[in-house]
Amino acid sequence: ELEPSWSLPYLHLAAVLEAKGEVLQAVATLKLASAQFKDKAVLMTYARLLLKQEQYLLAKKQFKAVLLIDKRAPKARFSLALIHMKLNELVDAELILEALFEDKVFPAKAAFYLGRINYFRKDYQSATEWFEWVPKGGDYVEAQSNISKIKFQQGDLEGAIEVVRKLRVASPEQSTKLYLLEADL
């Protein structure tokens, strides 16, 4: 009230409302703030809250608004790619993820999701190539598990099992999951 041109209190108010479970009021607060301020932080916070509420089309619009302010905003680009995937707009998602990978922005995540896109398209060669780019940590186990499944689907049971066994040695904390995968194969 004392400084209506300051966007930060809107962010704090929305955070408090969300923490109290008053999500609709938090969304309304950020909607008001995003209309009043063309502030990157406000737009990103609003977009993320919409994303949590599974309001993908509205979130997509807000992430695009962020990119009008800062076309290189990595988190907005990555989030937009994931929304495109969720909405089955795979070509749009792929373009963004390839650009992120080339720009070395979230390259492991970009490679993982590019692998998934190609896996669902049944382009197993490309999927495998993308999954191979995923380094240890993060999505590594999932990427390698997908490579194993691809080998199995291509009739290479020995290769599929070999990937799982190597993965079990590299990631012993995932051994239960990997034993189950091997049993499935």
Side-chain angles (χ1 to χ4, degrees), residues 18 41-54 59 62-63 75-76 79:
E18 184 182 8
V42 170
L43 293 170
M44 281 294 291
T45 305
Y46 182 38
R48 286 183 185 133
L49 187 56
L50 290 169
L51 198 53
K52 283 184 191 176
Q53 299 303 305
E54 298 181 2
Q62 294 307 310
F63 284 121
K75 291 179 182 177
S79 296

Side-chain angles (χ1 to χ4, degrees), residues 17 33 37 67 71 79 128 162:
L17 290 169
F37 308 101
L67 293 173
K71 67 180 180 179
S79 296
T128 300
E162 181 181 336

Side-chain angles (χ1 to χ4, degrees), residues 38-127:
K38 295 303 175 200
D39 180 274
K40 184 176 159 183
V42 170
L43 293 170
M44 281 294 291
T45 305
Y46 182 38
R48 286 183 185 133
L49 187 56
L50 290 169
L51 198 53
K52 283 184 191 176
Q53 299 303 305
E54 298 181 2
Q55 295 184 37
Y56 301 117
L57 294 175
L58 290 173
K60 180 171 134 177
K61 181 179 175 183
Q62 294 307 310
F63 284 121
K64 285 184 174 185
V66 170
L67 293 173
L68 289 175
I69 296 168
D70 178 4
K71 67 180 180 179
R72 309 290 303 162
K75 291 179 182 177
R77 291 165 63 199
F78 184 72
S79 296
L80 187 57
L82 294 182
I83 290 171
H84 282 305
M85 286 180 68
K86 187 72 174 173
L87 297 174
N88 205 29
E89 300 166 347
L90 299 181
V91 172
D92 293 330
E94 190 172 31
L95 291 171
I96 294 169
L97 291 167
E98 286 174 348
L100 287 168
F101 184 81
E102 289 171 16
D103 293 346
K104 295 177 179 41
V105 177
F106 309 126
K109 287 278 189 194
F112 177 75
Y113 285 107
L114 285 163
R116 287 185 57 134
I117 288 170
N118 284 286
Y119 181 80
F120 291 122
R121 286 183 179 153
K122 298 189 184 326
D123 180 354
Y124 298 131
Q125 177 67 34
S126 294

Side-chain angles (χ1 to χ4, degrees), residues 120-179:
F120 291 122
R121 286 183 179 153
K122 298 189 184 326
D123 180 354
Y124 298 131
Q125 177 67 34
S126 294
T128 300
E129 290 170 9
W130 282 115
F131 286 137
E132 290 288 349
W133 277 100
V134 178
K136 289 187 179 176
D139 296 312
Y140 178 74
V141 171
E142 187 70 28
Q144 292 296 308
S145 296
N146 285 327
I147 291 171
S148 175
K149 292 173 189 173
I150 289 169
K151 287 182 178 284
F152 176 78
Q153 289 171 343
Q154 293 178 326
D156 182 7
L157 179 59
E158 294 296 321
I161 290 173
E162 181 181 336
V163 169
V164 173
R165 288 181 178 162
K166 285 181 181 176
L167 188 54
R168 197 168 44 239
V169 170
S171 302
E173 70 282 355
Q174 297 283 330
S175 63
T176 302
K177 175 183 174 182
L178 296 168
Y179 275 118

